[in-house]
Amino acid sequence: MAPFGEPSHLGRKELKLVVFNTSLTGYQEILTDPSYAGQFVLMTCPHIGNTGVNFGDEESSQCFLGGLVIRSLSIGTSNWRCVESLGDYLTKRNIMGIYDVDTRAITRRLRQDGSLIGVLSTEESRTDGDLLQMSRSWDIVGVDLIGDVSCTSPYEWVDKTESDWDFNTNKRDGKTFNVIAYDFGIKHNILRRLASHGCKITVVPATWPASETLIMKPDGVLFSNGPGDPSAVPYAVQTVKELLGKVPVFGICMGHQLLGQALGGKTFKMKFGHHGGNHPVRDIRSGRVDISAQNHNYAVDPATLPEGVEVTHINLNDGTCAGLAFPSMKIMSLQYHPEASPGPHDSDLGKQYTAL
């Protein structure tokens, strides 16, 4: 095993939840997805780094994961957009990484035993026993990770998807929709896709009061993706409750889970979660199957939801709930990331959201 990224002489250690991601591409989007806060990401694709890094593919202003674990680190880059190698990129952002690891064996262990707490350390004097003891001192359950990734004050978002990459620009009657987006760890491409569909977007912090949102008279409210345990952020659940029935709402990933709790349902921690860009999801209403990008460790238990709430999508890998709707209250949510950056683009956010 060999380290890369954050220099080894700093004497640093990190404890995080280890998850495996089955995406074949898009490691830069994964590195900058705030939903990976509190986690080490192990890539099951064995060869990582050959496309390098560019500043157009980032999903946020920084890297939030605790570290990157890979099998083989590319010694060269070949993509025409590359401005920097993966190793240099991680070093500048103080992110730990390790390669020449048997990632297949670790993935099999995680699938068998469930997600485990891992330790990455640059302190060579630490024994295996020391590292094992450290791993037992931390847990992701019940930890509020949203507060560390949310913005601190409201701001307007105006950037759209670049035309070269725009796969759907349908607007409804050319109208502009005023949308309030709660930032629980929101990805830039979710905001870009909404803007491309004709939305004027105001992003607000996770703690933004529902009363202030209603004063702004939005056409709709988006509850974004984000990291961690939805049960650890009761303030966010309360905000969702206070907005239900008063304005159309749409939830993504963490936002979907918060909606489930706000409606009276329960969430549960999955064995090893869903992390990757190849999860098949079926829309129960139409029968259509989309290949989706997912990143979450918790799911909504549909058996606990009240009458009137409809399960609209299911994950075909394990049958878990992947979408909800409550038409009488103008509520929709999806467990996966519908903007699907870096892909695939089967399901587009604007088509789902403007359906409200």
Side-chain angles (χ1 to χ4, degrees):
M1 295 183 289
F4 70 106
E6 193 265 346
S8 61
H9 66 271
L10 294 182
R12 181 179 166 195
K13 60 180 180 297
E14 292 275 0
L15 289 85
K16 305 293 180 186
L17 184 74
V18 183
V19 300
F20 61 89
N21 187 294
T22 56
S23 295
L24 299 180
T25 61
Y27 55 80
Q28 187 176 351
E29 288 88 343
I30 292 166
L31 288 169
T32 54
D33 180 353
S35 294
Y36 279 113
Q39 297 163 84
F40 292 137
V41 178
L42 178 149
M43 302 297 295
T44 59
C45 181
H47 191 62
I48 299 295
N50 58 304
T51 59
V53 172
N54 68 83
F55 300 121
D57 288 343
E58 298 196 322
E59 292 289 353
S60 65
S61 59
Q62 66 183 86
C63 297
F64 287 97
L65 49 65
L68 186 66
V69 182
I70 62 176
R71 177 68 181 94
S72 175
L73 177 66
S74 176
I75 61 174
T77 59
S78 58
N79 188 273
W80 63 274
R81 302 168 70 215
C82 173
V83 298
E84 190 172 31
S85 71
L86 175 59
D88 289 343
Y89 177 85
L90 294 181
T91 297
K92 290 179 181 178
R93 286 154 182 79
N94 203 32
I95 300 297
M96 303 178 75
I98 188 168
Y99 70 97
D100 199 17
V101 174
D102 189 348
T103 52
R104 177 176 291 186
I106 297 174
T107 300
R108 292 181 60 147
R109 173 70 183 275
L110 295 176
R111 282 184 56 86
Q112 174 181 317
D113 298 337
S115 297
L116 301 170
I117 303 300
V119 182
L120 280 180
S121 175
T122 61
E123 300 174 347
E124 296 183 0
S125 62
R126 296 281 185 175
T127 66
D128 290 347
D130 291 336
L131 298 177
L132 182 60
Q133 188 62 36
M134 277 191 283
S135 72
R136 292 170 176 165
S137 67
W138 187 85
D139 195 352
I140 197 172
V141 177
V143 177
D144 179 359
L145 296 175
I146 288 176
D148 293 331
V149 302
S150 179
C151 62
T152 56
S153 59
Y155 64 92
E156 302 295 323
W157 180 274
V158 296
D159 291 347
K160 301 180 180 181
T161 312
E162 294 181 8
S163 58
D164 289 347
W165 304 93
D166 207 352
F167 44 88
N168 189 337
T169 56
N170 294 331
K171 300 181 180 66
R172 188 164 65 176
D173 302 326
K175 295 179 180 178
T176 297
F177 300 97
N178 293 314
V179 175
I180 305 298
Y182 273 81
D183 180 9
F184 300 131
I186 199 164
K187 294 170 64 180
H188 286 174
N189 271 307
I190 289 177
L191 296 170
R192 291 189 185 108
R193 293 308 299 140
L194 278 174
S196 294
H197 281 276
C199 295
K200 179 182 178 182
I201 308 161
T202 302
V203 183
V204 299
T207 55
W208 189 252
S211 58
E212 292 297 318
T213 294
L214 294 174
I215 289 173
M216 300 164 76
K217 298 185 183 302
D219 295 306
V221 173
L222 170 69
F223 301 116
S224 82
N225 62 291
D229 182 354
S231 298
V233 287
Y235 60 88
V237 177
Q238 183 60 36
T239 298
V240 176
K241 285 183 179 179
E242 294 174 7
L243 291 171
L244 294 184
K246 299 174 182 176
V247 63
V249 298
F250 183 63
I252 295 175
C253 204
M254 170 62 78
H256 160 85
Q257 297 161 20
L258 294 174
L259 274 167
Q261 289 198 2
L263 288 166
K266 295 182 179 180
T267 55
F268 62 93
K269 189 176 184 301
M270 307 174 76
K271 186 175 180 179
F272 46 79
H274 294 161
H275 311 277
N278 49 11
H279 284 257
V281 170
R282 179 162 61 90
D283 185 332
I284 297 174
R285 300 162 298 182
S286 67
R288 173 186 167 94
V289 176
D290 291 333
I291 303 301
S292 67
Q294 305 207 9
N295 173 22
H296 59 103
N297 293 300
Y298 291 81
V300 175
D301 180 359
T304 65
L305 294 169
E307 185 177 352
V309 180
E310 174 189 0
V311 175
T312 58
H313 298 72
I314 60 170
N315 186 300
L316 293 180
N317 285 339
D318 58 12
T320 52
C321 174
L324 297 172
F326 199 166
S328 64
M329 296 184 72
K330 296 187 176 180
I331 296 170
M332 289 178 60
S333 67
L334 294 173
Q335 178 61 86
Y336 52 95
H337 290 192
E339 91 296 347
S341 296
H345 296 151
D346 290 24
S347 55
D348 180 58
L349 178 65
K351 290 185 291 185
Q352 301 286 348
Y353 190 84
T354 55
L356 290 175

